[in-house]
Amino acid sequence: MASNPLILSNSSFISPIDISIAPFTSSALYFPLCTVVAFASWVILYHGQMRAQAKKCQVEGPFRWPVVGAYFEAKRNLWRVHDWNLRYFRQSKTILIDFGLFVNVLTVDPKNVEYILSTNFSNYPKGRKFHERFSDWLGNGIFNVDGELWKRHRKVASYEFSARKLRDFSCNVFREDALKLASILDLAASQQEVNCQDLFMRMALDSICKVGFGVNLNCCSPSLPAIPFGIAFDSANEHTIIRQVSLFWKMMRFWDIGSEKHMRKNLENLDSFTYSIIQNRKAEIGTSVDCGEDYVKEDLLSRFMTYRNEDDEGYSDKDLRDAIMNFMIAGRDTIAVTLSWFIYSICENPSVPESIRAELNDVLGDTQSLSYDKFASLLTYYSLSKMNYLHAAISETLRLYPAVPKDTKIAVNDDVLPDGIIIKKGYSVSYVPYSMGRMKFLWGSDACEFRPERWLKNGIFQPESPFKFTAFQAGPRICLGKDSAYLQMKITAALLMRFFTFSLVPGQTIRYKLMSVLSMQNGIKVQVTRR
Ligand code: HEM
Ligand SMILES: *[C@@H]1O[C@H](CO)[C@@H](O)[C@H](O)[C@H]1NC(C)=O
């Protein structure tokens, strides 16, 4: 059992039956006294039972107090939750956190991860609770459903990520948008500091809207326009997280008060934006049909719009809205936060950008005299596939800073994990990429160091098992956008490394924020110099 940091909170825990609130008569003392005695004996009994149970299952984890479990310890550590979990994983590959109202089993053991995500996939869906909290925002989109509906979404969406589409279409979009970002950095170079995370968010939003929905938002224009949609989107994300820890969110939603009032306003903004995208696209399809043409746009939205099942039913407008929302979270935040952590990592490890530049020279030849545009045109699907070191540097970023740091499923039935841990129906079961990347038993004694070379053998990138390197999940629900994501991040990183050097603005604290993605609390401020 872990040391017990909760001793202090315990005294406040019993304060409600502090006798000072009772009048000082002997009969009035009787009741509180009895309560204390009853409470104390129950504590001892309950505790003994818990201990025995934990011992039997050999599960480590934070100390479990009666009734409240580790709730207060968890609450105190919420702001650094991933490192709090990590501390317990240093004692055991699977841990149990008892939140009082529910129990969460977390694991970094690849055997367990494979079992949850693949072998016994059907016993570990996202579950109803998750669906409920996310459904106002993500609706019945691919992220937020299980079973048949998920299967159908997955099938329709998977065409979108074919190698052909990436090579012939997405690659051009990623190049265009990376060039826009470069021109903003060019203006700022040597003059003002820039917040990379904000810029990457803009770039990634532009790209996903073009690739996914055929819409050009132009967030990455030099005037850096305000993006009400982006703000409403982030706010909806944060308010959804508040729902995870709030007991009364449904009541607050009903009365339209507090955080739920903000949530409603955000959702209205998001809806008006997405429904207008849908109406525009419908109008376009209508026009081309009138002209007797086949409608040819190849974006994801068009694909969902023209989909018909066996009974000739298509997707409703609400379904399309949900699809847009889901691809937005899939394709914007993940890319932007990973690129931000990449910039952080290369600032902290200056030999890495040098090695990337050396590889660019090897693969592309001398590019010293080329303009931004000319250089970008050399970054093709094919040339990028030969950049093993760059691929390794991005993978190394995701190993230490996985965009989805922890991912949780719900057990449908009682089960036993391969390492013997007993799972009860209704337990949350999580695999934890953030901790996995830091485990010595998986990566060796330098697990916490940023070292792209660990991925290379004779200069060739060696993929790891997805059950060990879990940044993209694994099994039937493995990330659909993985190749697309590497493509975009490699194009962007190559362009930026070729033309700029980065250094961190001193005096800032870089840390993660409590969100479903590992975004940076205050972004990352850098000084940029033109090379
Ligand atoms: C660094 C980049 C990315 C990372 C680390 C990442 C990671 C992940 C993870 C962990 C999941 C599983 C989430 C869950 O089921 O709880 C996931 C699912 C998914 N990702 Fe990505 N992703 C990235 C980029 C993208 C991009 C760019 C797209 C598409 C534009 C995308 C599309 C999807 C989709 C559609 C799913 C749902 C798959 C399903 O449930 O069957 N991802 N991703
Ligand atoms: C999967 O989980 C179920 C509980 O729903 C359990 O009965 C079954 O034995 C497990 N299947 C495998 C392949 O271990």
PDB file of all heavy atoms in Angstrom, residues 115 119-120 123-124 412-415, ligand 2:
ATOM      1  N   TYR A 115      -5.373  -6.934 -24.402  1.00  0.00           N
ATOM      2  CA  TYR A 115      -6.592  -7.637 -24.008  1.00  0.00           C
ATOM      3  C   TYR A 115      -7.809  -6.703 -24.051  1.00  0.00           C
ATOM      4  O   TYR A 115      -8.853  -7.043 -24.596  1.00  0.00           O
ATOM      5  CB  TYR A 115      -6.409  -8.212 -22.607  1.00  0.00           C
ATOM      6  CG  TYR A 115      -7.573  -9.038 -22.137  1.00  0.00           C
ATOM      7  CD1 TYR A 115      -7.737 -10.345 -22.569  1.00  0.00           C
ATOM      8  CD2 TYR A 115      -8.509  -8.492 -21.269  1.00  0.00           C
ATOM      9  CE1 TYR A 115      -8.819 -11.099 -22.148  1.00  0.00           C
ATOM     10  CE2 TYR A 115      -9.596  -9.238 -20.839  1.00  0.00           C
ATOM     11  CZ  TYR A 115      -9.745 -10.542 -21.277  1.00  0.00           C
ATOM     12  OH  TYR A 115     -10.825 -11.282 -20.870  1.00  0.00           O
ATOM     13  N   THR A 119      -8.288  -8.270 -27.770  1.00  0.00           N
ATOM     14  CA  THR A 119      -8.757  -9.630 -27.476  1.00  0.00           C
ATOM     15  C   THR A 119     -10.199  -9.650 -26.975  1.00  0.00           C
ATOM     16  O   THR A 119     -11.011 -10.430 -27.460  1.00  0.00           O
ATOM     17  CB  THR A 119      -7.852 -10.291 -26.404  1.00  0.00           C
ATOM     18  OG1 THR A 119      -6.508  -9.964 -26.679  1.00  0.00           O
ATOM     19  CG2 THR A 119      -8.061 -11.786 -26.370  1.00  0.00           C
ATOM     20  N   ASN A 120     -10.485  -8.790 -25.987  1.00  0.00           N
ATOM     21  CA  ASN A 120     -11.846  -8.765 -25.456  1.00  0.00           C
ATOM     22  C   ASN A 120     -12.499  -7.406 -25.682  1.00  0.00           C
ATOM     23  O   ASN A 120     -13.191  -6.859 -24.812  1.00  0.00           O
ATOM     24  CB  ASN A 120     -11.845  -9.138 -23.959  1.00  0.00           C
ATOM     25  CG  ASN A 120     -13.121  -9.888 -23.581  1.00  0.00           C
ATOM     26  OD1 ASN A 120     -14.065  -9.948 -24.371  1.00  0.00           O
ATOM     27  ND2 ASN A 120     -13.168 -10.421 -22.380  1.00  0.00           N
ATOM     28  N   ASN A 123     -16.021  -6.356 -24.567  1.00  0.00           N
ATOM     29  CA  ASN A 123     -16.332  -6.133 -23.144  1.00  0.00           C
ATOM     30  C   ASN A 123     -15.916  -4.741 -22.666  1.00  0.00           C
ATOM     31  O   ASN A 123     -16.216  -4.355 -21.541  1.00  0.00           O
ATOM     32  CB  ASN A 123     -15.658  -7.197 -22.269  1.00  0.00           C
ATOM     33  CG  ASN A 123     -16.282  -7.264 -20.877  1.00  0.00           C
ATOM     34  OD1 ASN A 123     -17.512  -7.177 -20.726  1.00  0.00           O
ATOM     35  ND2 ASN A 123     -15.436  -7.362 -19.864  1.00  0.00           N
ATOM     36  N   TYR A 124     -15.208  -3.976 -23.517  1.00  0.00           N
ATOM     37  CA  TYR A 124     -14.693  -2.679 -23.080  1.00  0.00           C
ATOM     38  C   TYR A 124     -15.045  -1.540 -24.042  1.00  0.00           C
ATOM     39  O   TYR A 124     -14.179  -0.963 -24.687  1.00  0.00           O
ATOM     40  CB  TYR A 124     -13.171  -2.762 -22.864  1.00  0.00           C
ATOM     41  CG  TYR A 124     -12.816  -3.766 -21.795  1.00  0.00           C
ATOM     42  CD1 TYR A 124     -12.464  -5.078 -22.109  1.00  0.00           C
ATOM     43  CD2 TYR A 124     -12.901  -3.410 -20.453  1.00  0.00           C
ATOM     44  CE1 TYR A 124     -12.193  -6.008 -21.129  1.00  0.00           C
ATOM     45  CE2 TYR A 124     -12.624  -4.332 -19.448  1.00  0.00           C
ATOM     46  CZ  TYR A 124     -12.274  -5.629 -19.799  1.00  0.00           C
ATOM     47  OH  TYR A 124     -12.011  -6.543 -18.818  1.00  0.00           O
ATOM     48  N   VAL A 412     -18.277  -4.090 -19.433  1.00  0.00           N
ATOM     49  CA  VAL A 412     -19.684  -4.477 -19.535  1.00  0.00           C
ATOM     50  C   VAL A 412     -20.005  -5.604 -18.551  1.00  0.00           C
ATOM     51  O   VAL A 412     -21.048  -5.623 -17.921  1.00  0.00           O
ATOM     52  CB  VAL A 412     -20.021  -4.943 -20.971  1.00  0.00           C
ATOM     53  CG1 VAL A 412     -21.458  -5.395 -21.063  1.00  0.00           C
ATOM     54  CG2 VAL A 412     -19.748  -3.828 -21.971  1.00  0.00           C
ATOM     55  N   ASN A 413     -19.057  -6.552 -18.428  1.00  0.00           N
ATOM     56  CA  ASN A 413     -19.261  -7.684 -17.510  1.00  0.00           C
ATOM     57  C   ASN A 413     -18.016  -7.918 -16.658  1.00  0.00           C
ATOM     58  O   ASN A 413     -16.942  -7.430 -16.988  1.00  0.00           O
ATOM     59  CB  ASN A 413     -19.542  -8.955 -18.306  1.00  0.00           C
ATOM     60  CG  ASN A 413     -20.968  -8.985 -18.814  1.00  0.00           C
ATOM     61  OD1 ASN A 413     -21.919  -8.799 -18.056  1.00  0.00           O
ATOM     62  ND2 ASN A 413     -21.121  -9.192 -20.116  1.00  0.00           N
ATOM     63  N   ASP A 414     -18.197  -8.685 -15.591  1.00  0.00           N
ATOM     64  CA  ASP A 414     -17.050  -9.096 -14.774  1.00  0.00           C
ATOM     65  C   ASP A 414     -16.034  -9.787 -15.662  1.00  0.00           C
ATOM     66  O   ASP A 414     -16.402 -10.498 -16.599  1.00  0.00           O
ATOM     67  CB  ASP A 414     -17.483 -10.092 -13.691  1.00  0.00           C
ATOM     68  CG  ASP A 414     -18.395  -9.450 -12.652  1.00  0.00           C
ATOM     69  OD1 ASP A 414     -18.643  -8.228 -12.759  1.00  0.00           O
ATOM     70  OD2 ASP A 414     -18.855 -10.172 -11.746  1.00  0.00           O
ATOM     71  N   ASP A 415     -14.769  -9.590 -15.350  1.00  0.00           N
ATOM     72  CA  ASP A 415     -13.736 -10.159 -16.204  1.00  0.00           C
ATOM     73  C   ASP A 415     -12.434 -10.218 -15.402  1.00  0.00           C
ATOM     74  O   ASP A 415     -12.336  -9.665 -14.307  1.00  0.00           O
ATOM     75  CB  ASP A 415     -13.581  -9.276 -17.455  1.00  0.00           C
ATOM     76  CG  ASP A 415     -12.821  -9.963 -18.584  1.00  0.00           C
ATOM     77  OD1 ASP A 415     -12.574 -11.180 -18.480  1.00  0.00           O
ATOM     78  OD2 ASP A 415     -12.480  -9.280 -19.560  1.00  0.00           O
TER      79      ASP A 415
HETATM   80  C1  LIG B   2     -14.326 -11.401 -22.267  1.00  0.00           C
HETATM   81  O1  LIG B   2     -15.113 -10.889 -21.242  1.00  0.00           O
HETATM   82  C2  LIG B   2     -16.185 -11.726 -20.854  1.00  0.00           C
HETATM   83  C3  LIG B   2     -17.033 -10.951 -19.907  1.00  0.00           C
HETATM   84  O2  LIG B   2     -17.900 -10.152 -20.654  1.00  0.00           O
HETATM   85  C4  LIG B   2     -15.640 -13.003 -20.296  1.00  0.00           C
HETATM   86  O3  LIG B   2     -16.687 -13.828 -19.839  1.00  0.00           O
HETATM   87  C5  LIG B   2     -14.833 -13.694 -21.376  1.00  0.00           C
HETATM   88  O4  LIG B   2     -14.233 -14.851 -20.871  1.00  0.00           O
HETATM   89  C6  LIG B   2     -13.789 -12.779 -21.960  1.00  0.00           C
HETATM   90  N1  LIG B   2     -13.269 -13.318 -23.204  1.00  0.00           N
HETATM   91  C7  LIG B   2     -12.014 -13.678 -23.410  1.00  0.00           C
HETATM   92  C8  LIG B   2     -11.622 -13.957 -24.811  1.00  0.00           C
HETATM   93  O5  LIG B   2     -11.226 -13.766 -22.532  1.00  0.00           O
END
